[in-house]
Amino acid sequence: MLQIDAAPGIHRVEDDKTNWYIVDGGEDGLTLVDAGVPRSWASLHAALPRLRRTPADVRALVLTHGHFDHVGFAERARTALRIPVYVHDNDVPLTQHPWRYDHERPRALYLATQVRALPNVARFVRDRAFWPAPIREVVRYGDAGALPVPGAPRIVPTPGHTLGHCALHFPDRGAVIAGDALVTYDPYTARSGPRLVARAATVDSVRNRTTLEALAATDARHVLTGHGPVWDGGARAAVAAARAAPVA
């Protein structure tokens, strides 16, 4: 599913209840943010003509973090489009083994108790989301500044979901791509509304909750998450709601 202008010049693509984004940088080209699941490669090629763009317009891919459902076509894009893939220093190991991430609670617990979320697991299995190709070469980024890619997003460190998780702030568009710092749909429980992702996929939920302050400080109107619909009620309201919601 393609949502054009989910925020000004930022287009949301959803595959298997997972979002990734196409940022239009005008004459500078396009930046992809996150890479969904492996079949999202086909979604990219379906979206570009609707945006009146071509694969040659794609100049970079930036990862908010290295979990399996956010790196799906990253290696294919790197090699086929000859573009750099940016990832935070602390998440580089995950790009080699996207399924081997630390988490606070056993995943099997959710399979046994969260019946509403089982269709999400079935989709991931069907589309081989659990087995993305490792990314052979990455460009590391740190905790400060703006990335040298179309759209020039500012780095907003939000560790907790992963150790190197970062949001990306676009001040001129009133938007922040939050990744999984908070979501509006938790794929592990099928619960909606701003919240932290379940502990089955979060390394440090206490730290995650604390670092949401950096997300709130952007004062962005549009919060674009890794899972679920766009939140247009402002970053501070999204963070307040996420902090108030229980962590599964």
Side-chain angles (χ1 to χ4, degrees), residues 75-91:
E75 176 63 8
R76 192 167 184 180
R78 185 185 73 82
T79 57
L81 303 179
R82 299 182 180 181
I83 59 172
V85 177
Y86 291 80
V87 65
H88 189 276
D89 263 323
N90 290 337
D91 267 19

Side-chain angles (χ1 to χ4, degrees), residues 124-189:
F124 282 159
V125 172
R126 178 195 68 193
D127 293 331
R128 297 190 59 79
F130 293 123
W131 303 280
I135 306 173
R136 301 297 181 188
E137 182 178 326
V138 298
V139 179
R140 298 168 181 254
Y141 65 84
D143 289 342
L147 290 170
V149 301
R154 298 195 61 79
I155 301 164
V156 182
T158 47
H161 181 63
T162 66
L163 296 178
H165 192 286
C166 289
L168 301 173
H169 185 206
F170 299 83
D172 57 331
R173 305 173 195 232
V176 62
I177 297 180
D180 284 3
L182 63 79
V183 295
T184 52
Y185 174 84
D186 182 356
Y188 287 83
T189 64

Side-chain angles (χ1 to χ4, degrees), residues 4 32 45 71 85 87 98 169 192 195 201 224 226 233 240 244 248:
I4 295 175
L32 309 180
H45 286 275
V71 305
V85 177
V87 65
H169 185 206
S192 297
R195 62 189 61 249
L224 297 87

